[in-house]
Amino acid sequence: MTLDPQAKTYLTRVNDVTSLHGEHGEPKAVSKVEDFQIPVKNGDIKVRVYTPNERDSLPVFVYLHGGGWVAGDINEVDTLCRNIAHEAECIVVSVGYRKAFTHKFPIPLEDCYEATKWVAENCSMLNADKTRIAIGGDSAGGNLAAGVATMAQKYNNLSLAAQVLVYPNLDLTLTFDKAQSYRDNAEGYLLTTKGVFWAAQNYLGNEINRYNIFASALLNNDLENLPPTLIITAEYDPLRDDGAEYAKRLREAGVPVEYKCYEGMIHGFFWLAGIIDKGVQARSQVSNFLKDVFTTK
């Protein structure tokens, strides 16, 4: 498919900040929003908790924002988290993990894992259901979410109902000859292949970390017992094939997988529901997937 007209318009205007007002869409109503400082190894981080209504024992979606491990914050995904909380009828916990340049792997991942454990340990305070906790994120946040799910699988001390990975980066070995999408979409579509390499370099710090399965989920050869998974990718995105390959391998391992590549879309469209219709569709797909998983659970 050719580049979606709305995505094309966004790319022509992306450097004009004044022309992009409202790109995240209108925030939907939730019952309450609370910020907490929670302890992590050698410090503390902020989490923001969105509660959609006053029902008892709500399911929880822990969300990890993107930004190449070096940028982004919980404020940038505020509208997104409000809207998922509203649509999926679940608590959303947005994690303000520490970032590279100053905090390299595995610190951001450990922050996200500890935040998810904090949720599980504080379900009574949050009015949440400990048996229905899902993890998810976009881009670098998708990488971190896959890492959290892999850690939960290996350590067996955290139960997850699902994982949601939106155009995730899942192979930090960065062997670009393996993925056609790194060549097809090397530049011109917001995220570049060079940009992927730069972000990973700044996150990993050490060459050997590329091959750690908690950093590169595609290197995990034992995918059994991972939770039901939703993977969303974009056609014009260097990371497209990472998500497609992971979906394939999860299915082969017997993990229930829902996979969709949004035709004509670019990296970042999930945040752009105010100006790109398929961003609304993707957000609704995430919300519907979560509702289905939480109902089944």
Side-chain angles (χ1 to χ4, degrees):
M1 183 177 177
T2 58
L3 187 65
D4 185 280
Q6 290 178 322
K8 186 175 182 179
T9 298
Y10 174 76
L11 289 173
T12 61
R13 299 165 61 188
V14 69
N15 292 321
D16 181 3
V17 176
T18 61
S19 72
L20 295 174
H21 179 70
E23 67 267 29
H24 300 301
E26 290 297 320
K28 296 185 178 181
V30 295
S31 177
K32 63 181 177 181
V33 179
E34 301 172 284
D35 286 352
F36 296 91
Q37 290 291 134
I38 68 169
V40 293
K41 185 178 180 181
N42 298 323
D44 57 77
I45 59 173
K46 179 188 286 188
V47 297
R48 182 165 294 167
V49 179
Y50 302 82
T51 304
N53 54 56
E54 299 303 320
R55 295 176 188 168
D56 290 333
S57 217
L58 288 163
V60 187
F61 181 43
V62 179
Y63 195 77
L64 313 176
H65 67 79
W69 303 280
V70 300
D73 57 38
I74 60 178
N75 293 321
E76 285 195 60
V77 291
D78 183 76
T79 295
L80 176 66
C81 291
R82 288 173 186 269
N83 292 356
I84 291 176
H86 178 91
E87 292 179 9
E89 299 179 31
C90 68
I91 295 169
V92 174
V93 179
S94 184
V95 180
Y97 56 87
R98 292 172 290 181
K99 297 186 288 292
F101 307 98
T102 53
H103 298 94
K104 298 186 183 295
F105 177 85
I107 293 173
L109 175 60
E110 290 175 342
D111 285 355
C112 295
Y113 192 71
E114 289 302 314
T116 310
K117 286 176 62 180
W118 177 87
V119 169
E121 293 163 1
N122 288 275
C123 279
S124 178
M125 178 187 70
L126 299 173
N127 195 25
D129 182 352
K130 186 176 182 178
T131 69
R132 296 188 293 167
I133 299 173
I135 188 76
D138 66 278
S139 193
N143 169 277
L144 293 168
V148 169
T150 304
M151 291 174 77
Q153 177 208 37
K154 299 303 182 188
Y155 297 159
N156 199 30
N157 63 353
L158 177 65
S159 178
L160 296 174
Q163 62 174 337
V164 175
L165 312 177
V166 180
Y167 35 72
N169 189 336
L170 299 172
D171 183 357
L172 301 192
T173 61
L174 303 177
T175 47
F176 297 130
D177 59 315
K178 292 182 181 178
Q180 184 68 33
S181 58
Y182 281 122
R183 299 190 294 275
D184 291 347
N185 307 312
E187 56 185 24
Y189 303 112
L190 193 64
L191 179 65
T192 66
T193 295
K194 286 183 179 179
V196 173
F197 184 87
W198 176 87
Q201 286 279 86
N202 282 296
Y203 172 52
L204 293 169
N206 190 315
E207 184 76 19
I208 197 171
N209 290 332
R210 296 180 183 279
Y211 303 94
N212 189 309
I213 60 171
F214 300 144
S216 296
L218 271 171
L219 302 186
N220 182 9
N221 292 321
D222 177 18
L223 299 177
E224 292 183 2
N225 301 318
L226 282 166
T229 301
L230 168 63
I231 300 177
I232 288 173
T233 59
E235 181 182 8
Y236 290 91
D237 184 347
L239 300 179
R240 181 193 66 215
D241 292 353
D242 277 23
E245 179 65 17
Y246 198 48
K248 174 178 175 288
R249 293 189 190 177
L250 287 169
R251 284 197 188 104
E252 291 172 349
V255 177
V257 178
E258 182 178 324
Y259 172 74
K260 182 174 177 63
C261 178
Y262 279 78
E263 294 183 345
M265 282 295 103
I266 58 173
H267 191 87
F269 82 99
F270 188 60
W271 285 15
L272 302 173
I275 57 175
I276 295 181
D277 293 340
K278 288 182 179 178
V280 179
Q281 295 172 23
R283 188 185 69 209
S284 294
Q285 183 178 11
V286 169
S287 298
N288 290 333
F289 172 81
L290 290 170
K291 288 178 77 171
D292 290 344
V293 166
F294 290 146
T295 300
T296 302
K297 183 70 174 179

